[in-house]
Amino acid sequence: MALESLNPATGEVLETFDEWSDEQVATTIEAVHGAYQNWRTTSFAERKSLLLKAAVILRQRKDEFATMMALEMGKPVVEGRAEIEKCALVCNYYAENAEQMLAPEPIASDASRSYVAFRPQGIVLAVMPWNFPFWQVFRFAAPALMAGNVGVLKHASNVPRCALAIEQVFVEAGYPADVFRTLMIGSGKVAQVIEHPYVVATTLTGSDIAGRKVAEKSGAMLKKSVMELGGSDPFIVLNDADLDLAASVAVTARCINSGQSCIAAKRFIVEDGIYETFLEKFKANMAALKMGDPCDETTQVGPQAREDLMRELHRQVEGSVAKGAKVILGGMPGEAAFYPPTILTQVSKGMPAYNEEFFGPVAIVIRVKDAEEALFVANDTEFGLGGSVWTRDIIKGEKIAGEIRSGAVFVNSMTKSDPRLPFGGVGISGFGRELSHYGIKEFVNIQTVWIQ
Ligand code: NDP
């Protein structure tokens, strides 16, 4: 099997890479384990200086990496640069804060002295997706490396150039050899990596289907896992919302990364009193988006990352229309992997648009009679990643936020990730947390030390 770098805007194959043999995989894991023996003993100051260097390199090579993502998975270059900047930010954040986050915690007990220490554990396997090919990896790697762990990356098969470039960033920053390695493998070889005795934990970002497989295998091997899976985030607009702002942010919240974000707003749940006004503004803003070549500076929506993903999205739209949904904007596939900003209305339970995750620029608009029904619809899903509520009444907004079953809720803002705040889901959106002090503690040994 070959890993293929293919431009989704044109269908052109850019480069192919042979998949590694089982032996290459095993040898690399052994080398990473070897590197761990020294890495785990390094000081926070040493790790900090290397991660700060990685941030500098990311910023220096920002344009190059943005173009790499544009060509390999269709992300508009403007968004690509912002992604690389965010990677640098997460490196800075953990470089500056990891030592304090992992400082031993004294606890009073019957001992003469007792405390909790946070020890590294070894190799963490990261199974990562193509949608934010750099960010998803640095979100895991920055805290893992600062904690004294080491990492192996199995990246999505359609972003092999990004996968290799990330490994290179660590090499260029001066990390010791084999502290972070990319494994050039498809999903068929993930199980054997999890089985390897030197691999202590797994983290996966991707679909719930892939998550179930990797979590199942990790569970069978009694290895800890963190799962960041999909979402079908609600975006509730109440009668007293600032409609101009809501209708503008709604477009970014849905169409960021050409709609391919787990925390994108997917279901727009709109109260009856302002439904028509909101829809009119929202539709005008969606229609004004410029779709085109992701390398063009003015492009706002690129192609979907792969043609098969675009076809699947269209199948979901058609399946919803067959059950009575109405397309009021877009709805027809373009050339190669392009799919235009689309709005579906008259969506009801039982349609793919109500039940499934739509991973592309398709907004699902649901009309509700009041805030209570809005909350019911928001929670009427197996997913639970993010959500947002729009109202001028902050007390009401906060109250509704508290009732939404999800890992994050934003009032009068779109859902976004921030290194300082934990990120993760409930339900089939996954378990465990990344980012903040919670994220760095997922893969350490939380060790009780008792001195009599
Ligand atoms: P996948 O979830 O299949 O891919 C994510 C990662 O998991 C890739 O590295 C993939 O490898 C790997 N993987 C897939 N299946 C297995 C398996 N059985 N065992 C081990 N690893 C596996 O995403 P797709 O690319 O297929 O996208 C499908 C849908 O997933 C999207 O439409 C979207 O709904 C959701 N998704 C959600 C993301 C999120 O951020 N939460 C990100 C990406 C997708 P390989 O590429 O080699 O198959």
Side-chain angles (χ1 to χ4, degrees), residues 437-450:
H437 65 90
Y438 292 99
I440 199 169
K441 290 190 178 130
E442 286 284 5
F443 298 123
V444 291
N445 173 16
I446 301 175
Q447 187 184 51
T448 291
V449 181
W450 174 293

PDB file of all heavy atoms in Angstrom, residues 437-450:
ATOM      1  N   HIS A 437      -3.752  22.384  31.794  1.00  0.00           N
ATOM      2  CA  HIS A 437      -3.035  21.472  32.699  1.00  0.00           C
ATOM      3  C   HIS A 437      -3.675  20.087  32.697  1.00  0.00           C
ATOM      4  O   HIS A 437      -3.031  19.090  33.021  1.00  0.00           O
ATOM      5  CB  HIS A 437      -2.954  22.050  34.108  1.00  0.00           C
ATOM      6  CG  HIS A 437      -4.280  22.202  34.777  1.00  0.00           C
ATOM      7  ND1 HIS A 437      -4.851  21.215  35.540  1.00  0.00           N
ATOM      8  CD2 HIS A 437      -5.151  23.235  34.742  1.00  0.00           C
ATOM      9  CE1 HIS A 437      -6.016  21.653  35.984  1.00  0.00           C
ATOM     10  NE2 HIS A 437      -6.222  22.864  35.515  1.00  0.00           N
ATOM     11  N   TYR A 438      -4.950  20.021  32.278  1.00  0.00           N
ATOM     12  CA  TYR A 438      -5.600  18.700  32.211  1.00  0.00           C
ATOM     13  C   TYR A 438      -4.933  17.843  31.134  1.00  0.00           C
ATOM     14  O   TYR A 438      -4.697  16.658  31.314  1.00  0.00           O
ATOM     15  CB  TYR A 438      -7.091  18.852  31.892  1.00  0.00           C
ATOM     16  CG  TYR A 438      -7.878  19.478  33.006  1.00  0.00           C
ATOM     17  CD1 TYR A 438      -8.193  20.831  32.981  1.00  0.00           C
ATOM     18  CD2 TYR A 438      -8.290  18.720  34.101  1.00  0.00           C
ATOM     19  CE1 TYR A 438      -8.911  21.421  34.015  1.00  0.00           C
ATOM     20  CE2 TYR A 438      -9.009  19.297  35.139  1.00  0.00           C
ATOM     21  CZ  TYR A 438      -9.317  20.651  35.086  1.00  0.00           C
ATOM     22  OH  TYR A 438     -10.010  21.226  36.113  1.00  0.00           O
ATOM     23  N   GLY A 439      -4.656  18.454  29.989  1.00  0.00           N
ATOM     24  CA  GLY A 439      -4.101  17.705  28.856  1.00  0.00           C
ATOM     25  C   GLY A 439      -2.740  17.112  29.157  1.00  0.00           C
ATOM     26  O   GLY A 439      -2.469  15.954  28.824  1.00  0.00           O
ATOM     27  N   ILE A 440      -1.881  17.879  29.823  1.00  0.00           N
ATOM     28  CA  ILE A 440      -0.514  17.391  30.055  1.00  0.00           C
ATOM     29  C   ILE A 440      -0.502  16.255  31.085  1.00  0.00           C
ATOM     30  O   ILE A 440       0.446  15.479  31.160  1.00  0.00           O
ATOM     31  CB  ILE A 440       0.424  18.555  30.470  1.00  0.00           C
ATOM     32  CG1 ILE A 440       1.893  18.164  30.242  1.00  0.00           C
ATOM     33  CG2 ILE A 440       0.201  19.000  31.902  1.00  0.00           C
ATOM     34  CD1 ILE A 440       2.868  19.319  30.362  1.00  0.00           C
ATOM     35  N   LYS A 441      -1.585  16.134  31.859  1.00  0.00           N
ATOM     36  CA  LYS A 441      -1.610  15.085  32.886  1.00  0.00           C
ATOM     37  C   LYS A 441      -2.205  13.771  32.399  1.00  0.00           C
ATOM     38  O   LYS A 441      -2.230  12.782  33.135  1.00  0.00           O
ATOM     39  CB  LYS A 441      -2.375  15.587  34.111  1.00  0.00           C
ATOM     40  CG  LYS A 441      -1.591  16.669  34.848  1.00  0.00           C
ATOM     41  CD  LYS A 441      -2.174  17.017  36.178  1.00  0.00           C
ATOM     42  CE  LYS A 441      -1.307  18.072  36.865  1.00  0.00           C
ATOM     43  NZ  LYS A 441      -2.062  19.194  37.355  1.00  0.00           N
ATOM     44  N   GLU A 442      -2.690  13.748  31.143  1.00  0.00           N
ATOM     45  CA  GLU A 442      -3.345  12.521  30.652  1.00  0.00           C
ATOM     46  C   GLU A 442      -2.393  11.330  30.562  1.00  0.00           C
ATOM     47  O   GLU A 442      -2.788  10.204  30.801  1.00  0.00           O
ATOM     48  CB  GLU A 442      -3.985  12.754  29.275  1.00  0.00           C
ATOM     49  CG  GLU A 442      -5.261  13.581  29.317  1.00  0.00           C
ATOM     50  CD  GLU A 442      -6.482  12.805  29.829  1.00  0.00           C
ATOM     51  OE1 GLU A 442      -6.348  11.639  30.255  1.00  0.00           O
ATOM     52  OE2 GLU A 442      -7.573  13.396  29.811  1.00  0.00           O
ATOM     53  N   PHE A 443      -1.143  11.592  30.173  1.00  0.00           N
ATOM     54  CA  PHE A 443      -0.252  10.459  29.902  1.00  0.00           C
ATOM     55  C   PHE A 443       0.922  10.361  30.880  1.00  0.00           C
ATOM     56  O   PHE A 443       1.931   9.736  30.596  1.00  0.00           O
ATOM     57  CB  PHE A 443       0.263  10.518  28.464  1.00  0.00           C
ATOM     58  CG  PHE A 443      -0.849  10.415  27.461  1.00  0.00           C
ATOM     59  CD1 PHE A 443      -1.049  11.398  26.501  1.00  0.00           C
ATOM     60  CD2 PHE A 443      -1.711   9.323  27.478  1.00  0.00           C
ATOM     61  CE1 PHE A 443      -2.083  11.302  25.587  1.00  0.00           C
ATOM     62  CE2 PHE A 443      -2.749   9.219  26.574  1.00  0.00           C
ATOM     63  CZ  PHE A 443      -2.935  10.215  25.621  1.00  0.00           C
ATOM     64  N   VAL A 444       0.795  11.012  32.030  1.00  0.00           N
ATOM     65  CA  VAL A 444       1.851  10.862  33.038  1.00  0.00           C
ATOM     66  C   VAL A 444       1.402   9.854  34.092  1.00  0.00           C
ATOM     67  O   VAL A 444       0.208   9.592  34.244  1.00  0.00           O
ATOM     68  CB  VAL A 444       2.198  12.217  33.713  1.00  0.00           C
ATOM     69  CG1 VAL A 444       2.891  13.147  32.730  1.00  0.00           C
ATOM     70  CG2 VAL A 444       0.959  12.878  34.302  1.00  0.00           C
ATOM     71  N   ASN A 445       2.349   9.316  34.775  1.00  0.00           N
ATOM     72  CA  ASN A 445       2.048   8.466  35.930  1.00  0.00           C
ATOM     73  C   ASN A 445       1.871   9.394  37.130  1.00  0.00           C
ATOM     74  O   ASN A 445       2.816  10.043  37.566  1.00  0.00           O
ATOM     75  CB  ASN A 445       3.210   7.485  36.152  1.00  0.00           C
ATOM     76  CG  ASN A 445       3.044   6.694  37.442  1.00  0.00           C
ATOM     77  OD1 ASN A 445       1.965   6.649  38.024  1.00  0.00           O
ATOM     78  ND2 ASN A 445       4.128   6.078  37.888  1.00  0.00           N
ATOM     79  N   ILE A 446       0.635   9.454  37.629  1.00  0.00           N
ATOM     80  CA  ILE A 446       0.349  10.309  38.788  1.00  0.00           C
ATOM     81  C   ILE A 446       0.723   9.478  40.012  1.00  0.00           C
ATOM     82  O   ILE A 446      -0.027   8.620  40.455  1.00  0.00           O
ATOM     83  CB  ILE A 446      -1.133  10.738  38.787  1.00  0.00           C
ATOM     84  CG1 ILE A 446      -1.461  11.494  37.479  1.00  0.00           C
ATOM     85  CG2 ILE A 446      -1.450  11.592  40.016  1.00  0.00           C
ATOM     86  CD1 ILE A 446      -2.904  11.862  37.290  1.00  0.00           C
ATOM     87  N   GLN A 447       1.943   9.741  40.499  1.00  0.00           N
ATOM     88  CA  GLN A 447       2.529   8.838  41.496  1.00  0.00           C
ATOM     89  C   GLN A 447       2.426   9.407  42.916  1.00  0.00           C
ATOM     90  O   GLN A 447       2.836  10.537  43.171  1.00  0.00           O
ATOM     91  CB  GLN A 447       4.011   8.614  41.148  1.00  0.00           C
ATOM     92  CG  GLN A 447       4.679   7.569  42.013  1.00  0.00           C
ATOM     93  CD  GLN A 447       6.153   7.452  41.689  1.00  0.00           C
ATOM     94  OE1 GLN A 447       6.881   8.437  41.655  1.00  0.00           O
ATOM     95  NE2 GLN A 447       6.605   6.237  41.444  1.00  0.00           N
ATOM     96  N   THR A 448       1.884   8.593  43.799  1.00  0.00           N
ATOM     97  CA  THR A 448       1.848   8.952  45.218  1.00  0.00           C
ATOM     98  C   THR A 448       3.187   8.582  45.852  1.00  0.00           C
ATOM     99  O   THR A 448       3.672   7.463  45.668  1.00  0.00           O
ATOM    100  CB  THR A 448       0.724   8.175  45.925  1.00  0.00           C
ATOM    101  OG1 THR A 448      -0.531   8.677  45.447  1.00  0.00           O
ATOM    102  CG2 THR A 448       0.785   8.344  47.435  1.00  0.00           C
ATOM    103  N   VAL A 449       3.776   9.538  46.553  1.00  0.00           N
ATOM    104  CA  VAL A 449       5.021   9.245  47.270  1.00  0.00           C
ATOM    105  C   VAL A 449       4.767   9.488  48.763  1.00  0.00           C
ATOM    106  O   VAL A 449       4.299  10.567  49.149  1.00  0.00           O
ATOM    107  CB  VAL A 449       6.181  10.130  46.765  1.00  0.00           C
ATOM    108  CG1 VAL A 449       7.473   9.794  47.511  1.00  0.00           C
ATOM    109  CG2 VAL A 449       6.367   9.944  45.264  1.00  0.00           C
ATOM    110  N   TRP A 450       5.036   8.490  49.576  1.00  0.00           N
ATOM    111  CA  TRP A 450       4.763   8.517  51.028  1.00  0.00           C
ATOM    112  C   TRP A 450       6.082   8.289  51.765  1.00  0.00           C
ATOM    113  O   TRP A 450       6.769   7.310  51.497  1.00  0.00           O
ATOM    114  CB  TRP A 450       3.752   7.405  51.347  1.00  0.00           C
ATOM    115  CG  TRP A 450       3.446   7.168  52.782  1.00  0.00           C
ATOM    116  CD1 TRP A 450       4.274   6.687  53.744  1.00  0.00           C
ATOM    117  CD2 TRP A 450       2.180   7.394  53.423  1.00  0.00           C
ATOM    118  NE1 TRP A 450       3.613   6.597  54.931  1.00  0.00           N
ATOM    119  CE2 TRP A 450       2.326   7.020  54.765  1.00  0.00           C
ATOM    120  CE3 TRP A 450       0.934   7.872  52.990  1.00  0.00           C
ATOM    121  CZ2 TRP A 450       1.278   7.097  55.680  1.00  0.00           C
ATOM    122  CZ3 TRP A 450      -0.100   7.944  53.894  1.00  0.00           C
ATOM    123  CH2 TRP A 450       0.072   7.565  55.234  1.00  0.00           C
TER     124      TRP A 450
END
